[in-house]
Each structure stands twice: as structure tokens, then as C-alpha cells.
Amino acid sequence: MAIRDTVKRAEQLVETSMKGNDASHDASHVWRVRDLALSLAREEGLSSNPDSMEIVELAALLHDVGDYKYLRDPSEEKLVENFLEEEGIAESKKIKILSIIKGMGFKDELAGVGNQEFPPEFGVVQDADRLDAIGAIEFFGLGIARCFTFGGNRNRVLHDPAIQPRLDLSKEHYMKKEEQTTVNHFHEKLLKLKDLMKTKAGLRRAEKRHKVMEEFLKQFYAEWDGEA
């Protein structure tokens, strides 16, 4: 019962701390990632270990709380750590949860952090978050919708043929947002995620969602050029 109470309070923290975020990184995104992570965890055989499932659920719920892209106050960087302390989460679990959250970003993969050995709980949570970035609901992918929502929130240019995608990115270059278009984000990040999946279950789903993005871009460029 205690863990379910902690989960409920984690859900409340998500709703309050992420209330002002745009729809690409709001509470609904977190609920989807949580559901995906638990589903992947079951497919990967983690359901036989209750501790692993608790780590997966809490890490998935808290992964975007205090996200650097949406910080309103420096104190928000400690929201997750403080929450886990207040909930009395065992030190070993707390370390795993914080480690998952700290290392799951794409920018960390560019810096080489993602190439290190990782626990299975990390793989399913990161894969779930990335699957939501390339998600597919019917033809117009949910991940595609999130990409354009985030781009609009950051006042990015939709597409400019004169601005080429930055294909060989470092962490530092990725975090610099000058001359970045929304469509280029597909080439700079989203189309790379399939090959960065950590679990077999995640890769199976990513392959389908990847095809949706490729079809979308094919149609987008044809319409942009007046050919469709």
C-alpha cells in the first residue's frame, strides 16, 4: 500500500510542477511514458521483481520533473531528490531512480553517457520516453505532434531549406538552439532514436513508429515543394 501512496503523490507532483509546460512535455506525456515503461518492463521480464517495477514506475513518473528546458526557478532542480527523501525511499532505490533520470536524455547520449553499461530499469524507462517522441497514432504520429508543439512553443521556424540539419552533433551543439527548425529536429534527433533503443521490446515498437515519421517527412517535403 505504501508504494501506491507514493505513486499517487508522485502523480500529484507531476501535475503541479509541470502545469505550465506545453503539451509536448506535460502530465499526459508522463502518463504515456509510465504506461509504456511498465509495458516494456513486463515484456523484458522485470515483472517478477517488485523492486524493479517500483523503480521503473517512479523513474518514469518523475523523469521530466525539473527538466532544464522548463525550469522556472533553480530550486526546481531538487524537486525529485527532495520528494524521494520525503517519501523515505530506500537509498538503493533512490540512487537508481535518480541515475535513470539523470542519464536518459538525448544530450547525454551525445556526450557518451548513454554508451555506458546500464541496468534494465534504465533501458525500459529511456525507451518509453523515446517511443513517445516518435509515437504513432494512426498516420499523424503523436511524436510528430509533440515535435511541432515544442517547436511552436520555442518560436522555431517550421522549415527553411537553406538551413541544413546538423547531423554530427555534440552535446554542446545540440543544446545551442540557434538556426534550428522544427523539421530539422527529425533529422538531428528523432530519426536516430530507433537505433538507440536499449531493449528488444522497445526496438520492436520503434521500428513501426520510425516508418510513420519517414512517411510523414516524405509527404511534408512533397507538399512544401508543390509536388503533392
Side-chain angles (χ1 to χ4, degrees), residues 2-14:
I3 185 60
R4 298 323 303 168
D5 291 339
T6 294
V7 166
K8 287 181 180 179
R9 286 188 285 270
E11 292 171 344
Q12 292 168 357
L13 177 61
V14 167

Side-chain angles (χ1 to χ4, degrees), residues 110-159:
L110 291 172
V113 176
N115 296 324
Q116 301 173 7
E117 290 187 8
F118 54 88
E121 296 91 350
F122 173 85
V124 298
V125 177
Q126 187 187 64
D127 281 6
D129 186 44
R130 291 178 169 181
L131 282 168
D132 200 57
I134 59 175
I137 292 182
E138 296 181 358
F139 180 78
F140 192 83
L142 183 56
I144 294 171
R146 287 186 63 219
C147 179
F148 282 97
T149 298
F150 184 77
N153 180 264
R154 293 297 191 268
N155 295 316
R156 287 181 185 165
V157 173
L158 174 62
H159 177 51

Side-chain angles (χ1 to χ4, degrees), residues 71-214:
L71 284 181
R72 301 165 185 85
D73 185 277
S75 64
E76 293 179 355
E77 292 180 347
K78 291 286 186 179
L79 279 174
V80 173
E81 189 172 351
N82 292 340
F83 173 81
L84 296 174
E85 288 279 357
E86 292 167 3
E87 289 296 319
I89 300 299
E91 187 68 16
S92 59
K93 288 184 182 178
K94 184 181 76 173
I95 291 172
K96 276 194 173 183
I97 292 167
L98 292 174
S99 177
I100 290 169
I101 293 171
K102 182 179 179 181
M104 65 188 289
F106 183 68
K107 67 183 188 304
D108 299 303
E109 194 103 26
L110 291 172
V113 176
N115 296 324
Q116 301 173 7
E117 290 187 8
F118 54 88
E121 296 91 350
F122 173 85
V124 298
V125 177
Q126 187 187 64
D127 281 6
D129 186 44
R130 291 178 169 181
L131 282 168
D132 200 57
I134 59 175
I137 292 182
E138 296 181 358
F139 180 78
F140 192 83
L142 183 56
I144 294 171
R146 287 186 63 219
C147 179
F148 282 97
T149 298
F150 184 77
N153 180 264
R154 293 297 191 268
N155 295 316
R156 287 181 185 165
V157 173
L158 174 62
H159 177 51
D160 183 344
I163 301 175
Q164 295 298 305
R166 303 167 300 171
L167 299 181
D168 188 17
L169 282 174
S170 65
K171 177 181 178 179
E172 291 71 27
H173 286 145
Y174 175 73
M175 295 180 72
K176 290 180 180 179
K177 301 304 181 184
E178 73 276 4
E179 291 192 345
Q180 186 178 36
T181 72
T182 296
V183 170
N184 280 355
H185 188 62
F186 285 90
H187 301 283
E188 294 177 351
K189 176 182 178 180
L190 303 185
L191 289 170
K192 298 178 180 180
L193 295 183
K194 173 178 69 71
D195 294 329
L196 295 176
M197 290 289 148
K198 302 296 189 298
T199 67
K200 292 180 179 178
L203 178 59
R204 284 194 295 270
R205 300 189 189 201
E207 286 172 342
K208 297 178 182 178
R209 298 175 182 223
H210 185 86
K211 291 178 181 177
V212 172
M213 291 192 298
E214 290 180 323

Side-chain angles (χ1 to χ4, degrees), residues 48-64:
S48 60
N49 187 333
D51 286 345
S52 287
M53 297 301 282
E54 291 173 13
I55 290 168
V56 166
E57 184 163 18
L58 287 174
L61 281 171
L62 300 170
H63 80 278
D64 268 344

